[in-house]
Amino acid sequence: MMFQWNHCTQSAWCVDFYPTQSYIYTMDDEALQGLQSLASRIEQTRALQYFEQLKASSDGWKLTAQALTSGSYEGNDHVKFFCLQVIEYYLRTRYGEGNQEEHALVKNLIARLLQLQGQRQDKSFLRNKVSQIISLAFVIDYPVRWVRFFSDLLQSLSIGHLAVDMYLRILLQIDSEVVDREIVHTPQETDRNTRIKDAMRDHSVLQLAESWLQIMNEYSSTQPEIVCMCLDVVGKYISWIDIGLIANDKFVPVIIRFMSMPLLRESACDCIHEIISKGMDPVAKTKLVESFTDVLENVGVLNLSEDEDGDFLAKMAKLINCMGVQLISSWQKLLKVDAQKAGETLVAVENKVSLLFRFLGDEDDDVSGAVATFTTDYISLLKQMDPITPKQRENIEALLYILIKKMKFDESYNFEHEGEDEAMFMEYRKQLKTIFTNLASLDSQLVLITVHNIVTHTLSQWKNMELKDIEVAITLLYTLAEALPSSQGQHFTGDVTKATALQEMMRLLITSRVSCQGHMIVMIHFFETVVRYEKFFQCEPQHVPDVLMAFMDERGFHHRSSQVRSRASYLFSRFVKGLKGQINNYIDDIFKRIGDLLVLNTPDNGYQHLLSNDDQLFVYETAGSLIVSSNFPPEKKSALMKQVLAPIAAKFALLMEKMIAEKDENKQLAYAQSINNAMALASRASKGFSSQQTMQNCGCEGVFVELLQIFIQAVTVPVHRQLIHVGVRQYMHRMVVCLEKEILPFVPVVLENLLKQPDARELHDFIPLMNQMIMKFKSAISPFLQEVFMPVVSTIFRVLTQPTDDLDQVAVADKRSLQKSYYQFISTIVSNDVLDVLKNQEVHNLHQVLITIVQGATEFPDPSSQKTCFNILKRLVAAWGGKDGLQGFPDFVYKSIIPACFMAPMKPEFDLKDAQTTLALNEAALCLKCVLEQRGDEMINYLQGDYLPTHRLSPDQAREFCDALKSESKLFRNYFKTFFTKAKS
């Protein structure tokens, strides 16, 4: 019989574990003390060392197996788990190569473990670890060394329900090891898993299926948790076994019966879901789904009440979703091959729509969200219908109203302090919006008319409406921009019906004064919507003042909610930029009303700031943009800009003094942050200027030069140097654009201070500013650059050669970034007509620099930097490598540059299969081509006669290489890669 336990015979398992006689039989109990929860650090370390010792020992697993099965540590879960881990390590690493004796010992161990687990109620984590160990042995031994594994395993079931529980856990672990598609397997493991499944299908799954049915029948009333686990096993295995083993007259009635049993129905529901999900022929799939639908209807499971348990409703929704998705997939497949069968499947789909709507409209969002895929697929199906039937049109309209109802916030939603529940609702709402957009693409007129009706009804009487209705009306209006097609956001031209409806809704949004409702979510949506539909104000500019006022009064910048104030600061900048032409007449009034927002946030202000530092950036940027785009004369523009920046200029020096004098570290940091913010605000105010010409036309040069003179003093600050320097550099970056050469006199001050106490990060951050100035000013910066070049380079390499702890990953990364920036610095010089900066350096200094570039090309483990270095060398060859080039440079070409082009690709870390590395290789090839252009036959003779022979290339191979070098660039690049691929193989 299947469930009989066969005690020790020659052909069956032994129930005792006997290690080899030569092994030590005792565990180190003192070391095991470190496993206790209250163990000291020293004891824990010793236990870990003992663990590693046992793992490394060839017989360590035998000792732990004996300890585990002897009962010596019964009741000590820590030690038992420790022993199981040692055994697991052995099975994973060495068991596959074990001899016949070890195989027999493992079988005996498993038999003993099964017997013990069938007799005692160990904690779940121990039972899971035991099942994992048995499954590991299984995947190694089955079907070759242990062909009777399942027959032997099934014998354990007669011990009792604990043994059945372990049996099911083992099957679930086998699924994880062999079947689970979410686990990434190696090709070898995939082949192994295929062989295992084939053997199981041929020899074992019939027995397994019979055992599942017997377990479900035997334990349904006494051990529901075992039946739930069994249903889980069926669901896991159904994906790859013959469906006829489960979808039959024996199994299905049992599973359906469970659907009416409160403790079993959720697992039964999941099991049916997995059965229906099984890949199969579309006609057979339709029959399968419909047969389950019929039996579920007959037992009344599909007629669920509103007060049904939420967890079960979610399971049922998931099942209905699966049915709908599978039927639509079958319909798609049948469309092209069998119109009649496709029609029958379509009827099956339509019959599920009422269930879809029931679950989609459920009060519980988890239940509703579970049918989102079915909903989306059904909309896609309807898009292929031509024409749409009256019933389908009713379905579309019903679906739309369900979506709108479900979009509404629940009364318990906490807008001020959004937590996990609120985040989950917003994710769910994103799903609904996606479905809404899909529905609009199916029937845009219906969606437009429906939303228009809701918006006009709600906003015209918003004072009598609930918050959730007001919010959803504005949200629907906002969402129409995504849902309805438009060209570049222009919704108010083209389709007259759409344009008229949108204009009416936007007009009502503003004139209804719903913005006075006051709730933070209404205000945020109001501002989001007027910004999204900014082109409305080009059609009806008379509404601009009302919106501007909303931004600037207690509805926006002065709202009680910081979230509204923050969002308003960003959206106001967008609104102003989008409607510059319509705002000119209101600029004076705007500046009067935002004056308090321009006050610099400092630790000494003595009141709560309306806007955070980041929010203030948007206001300053908006102020600058308004000034630049205005029709005011330069004098007034300059006066307004001074007005905006005056708070910064007035407080900066005082803030510096207070920061330096402050002894409290927290207050000192607060001052530093305020100083950094002051410079950031000034930088953002300059964003409206695109060039020096723009700034000159506005008469604002003096304002920003004065600020630069003030800010430049901060580079000598003795505390929070890095934070302050960030602000200085940021401002200087902007001034390179806006002031141009007027900035040059200030650079030496910054550079001089930087070189006094540099660190890798500061240097790395400073180099982009140098690069920007080189690209901007080119020859004009050359004299200054010649003077500072070697001090900068020397400082960079002094910092790079300073010893650092290899374990300090931040320091290592900073140095790596600095080195990359250095190569970019040299590249900028050679690419922007300031080569004289290098040429006029002392010979030994120039030689050192050139060597660093060669080293970067050959040794720095970063393909993009190697590419940059080869590009630098190529440009230098083009400039100095000819007959009238730099004296001594041709000798450097032959001794260093040409060898570099061969050395780099031969490095082990130079991966010729990597795309970035290939770009570096191409640059090396072009460098050689450039040498050929400059030196001609002289280079060919050097390669053939001197260089290539030293690398064991025969005369024919050297001649072949040189012929390729003389060919067209693309051909040589291809040859060059092939050349090194062969050389490294």
Side-chain angles (χ1 to χ4, degrees), residues 2-158:
M2 186 187 305
F3 293 134
Q4 287 180 344
W5 177 262
N6 191 351
H7 292 284
C8 289
T9 66
Q10 291 297 316
S11 61
W13 293 348
C14 270
V15 294
D16 291 308
F17 177 79
Y18 298 102
T20 55
Q21 294 299 313
S22 61
Y23 199 78
I24 301 172
Y25 289 87
T26 58
M27 296 276 281
D28 186 342
D29 288 328
E30 189 174 343
L32 295 176
Q33 292 299 313
L35 300 176
Q36 303 302 319
S37 57
L38 298 178
S40 68
R41 179 68 61 86
I42 294 174
E43 289 173 325
Q44 291 174 359
T45 301
R46 181 167 180 186
L48 182 61
Q49 291 171 344
Y50 186 47
F51 179 56
E52 295 300 326
Q53 176 188 338
L54 288 172
K55 280 163 55 179
S57 168
S58 61
D59 288 332
W61 74 276
K62 299 174 185 176
L63 175 61
T64 55
Q66 184 191 32
L68 191 66
T69 57
S70 66
S72 304
Y73 298 97
E74 194 59 40
N76 192 328
D77 292 342
H78 296 292
V79 174
K80 288 198 283 187
F81 193 73
F82 175 89
C83 293
L84 289 169
Q85 285 182 301
V86 174
I87 297 167
E88 178 192 1
Y89 179 80
Y90 162 70
L91 290 172
R92 287 192 185 279
T93 58
R94 299 196 300 273
Y95 178 54
E97 288 75 43
N99 56 33
Q100 194 61 37
E101 179 190 359
E102 290 185 329
H103 169 60
L105 286 172
V106 168
K107 286 182 68 174
N108 290 342
L109 169 64
I110 290 173
R112 180 61 177 153
L113 289 175
L114 283 171
Q115 188 180 50
L116 290 172
Q117 291 300 315
Q119 295 169 347
R120 66 190 184 200
Q121 183 73 58
D122 271 345
K123 289 184 176 134
S124 186
F125 76 94
L126 287 172
R127 294 176 72 81
N128 284 338
K129 182 57 72 173
V130 170
S131 66
Q132 184 183 21
I133 281 173
I134 295 173
S135 72
L136 286 173
F138 164 79
V139 296
I140 294 169
D141 284 342
Y142 185 83
V144 178
R145 289 200 303 195
W146 201 346
V147 69
R148 288 180 47 81
F149 176 87
F150 287 107
S151 298
D152 292 340
L153 181 62
L154 287 166
Q155 292 177 33
S156 69
L157 299 182
S158 61

Side-chain angles (χ1 to χ4, degrees), residues 360-478:
L360 184 66
D362 193 88
E363 183 178 333
D364 189 326
D365 295 339
D366 289 336
V367 175
S368 176
V371 292
T373 308
F374 183 12
T375 309
T376 303
D377 288 357
Y378 181 62
I379 294 171
S380 298
L381 180 150
L382 292 177
K383 288 178 183 178
Q384 300 176 60
M385 294 290 102
D386 188 19
I388 287 178
T389 67
K391 178 59 178 174
Q392 288 170 335
R393 190 160 298 282
E394 287 179 20
N395 288 343
I396 296 171
E397 190 167 354
L399 176 56
L400 178 58
Y401 278 100
I402 291 172
L403 291 173
I404 292 170
K405 179 184 175 184
K406 289 298 297 177
M407 279 187 186
K408 295 180 183 180
F409 285 106
D410 189 81
E411 292 179 0
S412 64
Y413 193 97
N414 190 332
F415 293 96
E416 295 291 343
H417 303 286
E418 293 179 325
E420 185 178 350
D421 288 343
E422 287 75 17
M424 289 173 63
F425 174 75
M426 293 312 295
E427 281 301 311
Y428 164 70
R429 205 184 207 203
K430 286 180 184 176
Q431 280 187 313
L432 296 180
K433 285 183 178 180
T434 300
I435 297 171
F436 177 85
T437 302
N438 286 332
L439 202 59
S441 66
L442 171 63
D443 194 335
S444 59
Q445 285 301 108
L446 173 64
V447 170
L448 181 63
I449 292 168
T450 303
V451 172
H452 180 269
N453 291 339
I454 291 171
V455 169
T456 52
H457 171 74
T458 304
L459 297 187
S460 62
Q461 48 183 320
W462 63 266
K463 292 181 181 179
N464 303 318
M465 304 294 286
E466 291 186 52
L467 170 65
K468 62 181 180 180
D469 296 314
I470 299 170
E471 188 278 336
V472 85
I474 301 174
T475 295
L476 289 170
L477 172 55
Y478 177 87

Side-chain angles (χ1 to χ4, degrees), residues 209-494:
E210 290 174 353
S211 75
W212 300 334
L213 185 60
Q214 189 167 344
I215 289 168
M216 288 191 286
N217 282 321
E218 184 173 341
Y219 292 103
S220 60
S221 58
T222 59
Q223 300 288 339
E225 68 281 357
I226 285 180
V227 177
C228 288
M229 194 186 303
C230 189
L231 287 165
D232 190 15
V233 170
V234 174
K236 297 286 189 186
Y237 280 68
I238 193 63
S239 67
W240 59 276
I241 66 174
D242 180 4
I243 193 169
L245 293 170
I246 307 299
N248 56 45
D249 293 340
K250 293 181 180 179
F251 253 100
V252 172
V254 174
I255 298 174
I256 295 299
R257 177 164 53 88
F258 293 162
M259 291 290 287
S260 302
M261 300 172 69
L263 296 178
L264 301 179
R265 61 182 183 173
E266 289 182 30
S267 294
C269 197
D270 282 339
C271 185
I272 297 172
H273 176 278
E274 295 304 319
I275 294 170
I276 290 174
S277 298
K278 181 176 175 63
M280 56 198 301
D281 172 79
V283 174
K285 175 60 67 73
T286 301
K287 289 180 180 177
L288 179 69
V289 172
E290 289 300 84
S291 65
F292 269 105
T293 303
D294 290 342
V295 293
L296 289 172
E297 283 181 342
N298 290 337
V299 296
V301 174
L302 297 181
N303 299 320
L304 296 165
S305 62
E306 290 294 333
D307 58 353
E308 185 62 78
D309 175 67
D311 290 338
F312 180 59
L313 279 176
K315 295 288 187 182
M316 283 299 298
K318 181 182 174 185
L319 176 58
I320 297 304
N321 184 74
C322 176
M323 287 180 169
V325 169
Q326 293 293 331
L327 286 173
I328 292 173
S329 175
S330 296
W331 173 76
Q332 291 276 15
K333 294 172 184 175
L334 291 168
L335 265 182
K336 299 176 182 177
V337 295
D338 193 329
Q340 181 182 344
K341 295 295 183 184
E344 293 171 3
T345 304
L346 180 59
V347 171
V349 173
E350 295 289 359
N351 289 338
K352 305 294 180 294
V353 172
S354 59
L355 288 169
L356 167 64
F357 289 169
R358 185 261 176 266
F359 288 110
L360 184 66
D362 193 88
E363 183 178 333
D364 189 326
D365 295 339
D366 289 336
V367 175
S368 176
V371 292
T373 308
F374 183 12
T375 309
T376 303
D377 288 357
Y378 181 62
I379 294 171
S380 298
L381 180 150
L382 292 177
K383 288 178 183 178
Q384 300 176 60
M385 294 290 102
D386 188 19
I388 287 178
T389 67
K391 178 59 178 174
Q392 288 170 335
R393 190 160 298 282
E394 287 179 20
N395 288 343
I396 296 171
E397 190 167 354
L399 176 56
L400 178 58
Y401 278 100
I402 291 172
L403 291 173
I404 292 170
K405 179 184 175 184
K406 289 298 297 177
M407 279 187 186
K408 295 180 183 180
F409 285 106
D410 189 81
E411 292 179 0
S412 64
Y413 193 97
N414 190 332
F415 293 96
E416 295 291 343
H417 303 286
E418 293 179 325
E420 185 178 350
D421 288 343
E422 287 75 17
M424 289 173 63
F425 174 75
M426 293 312 295
E427 281 301 311
Y428 164 70
R429 205 184 207 203
K430 286 180 184 176
Q431 280 187 313
L432 296 180
K433 285 183 178 180
T434 300
I435 297 171
F436 177 85
T437 302
N438 286 332
L439 202 59
S441 66
L442 171 63
D443 194 335
S444 59
Q445 285 301 108
L446 173 64
V447 170
L448 181 63
I449 292 168
T450 303
V451 172
H452 180 269
N453 291 339
I454 291 171
V455 169
T456 52
H457 171 74
T458 304
L459 297 187
S460 62
Q461 48 183 320
W462 63 266
K463 292 181 181 179
N464 303 318
M465 304 294 286
E466 291 186 52
L467 170 65
K468 62 181 180 180
D469 296 314
I470 299 170
E471 188 278 336
V472 85
I474 301 174
T475 295
L476 289 170
L477 172 55
Y478 177 87
T479 307
L480 280 180
E482 301 168 12
L484 300 181
S486 67
S487 176
Q488 299 179 338
Q490 181 52 278
H491 293 279
F492 302 95
T493 60

Side-chain angles (χ1 to χ4, degrees), residues 664-692:
D664 183 278
E665 289 187 6
N666 291 331
K667 289 183 179 178
Q668 191 182 76
L669 176 60
Y671 279 119
Q673 290 168 335
S674 183
I675 291 166
N676 174 277
N677 183 51
M679 292 183 280
L681 293 173
S683 299
R684 289 294 279 271
S686 74
K687 283 276 190 177
F689 303 104
S690 58
S691 65
Q692 184 185 34

Side-chain angles (χ1 to χ4, degrees), residues 705-721:
V705 169
E706 181 183 345
L707 275 179
L708 182 55
Q709 291 170 334
I710 295 171
F711 293 161
I712 210 72
Q713 300 168 26
V715 297
T716 60
V717 67
V719 292
H720 293 291
R721 165 190 168 103

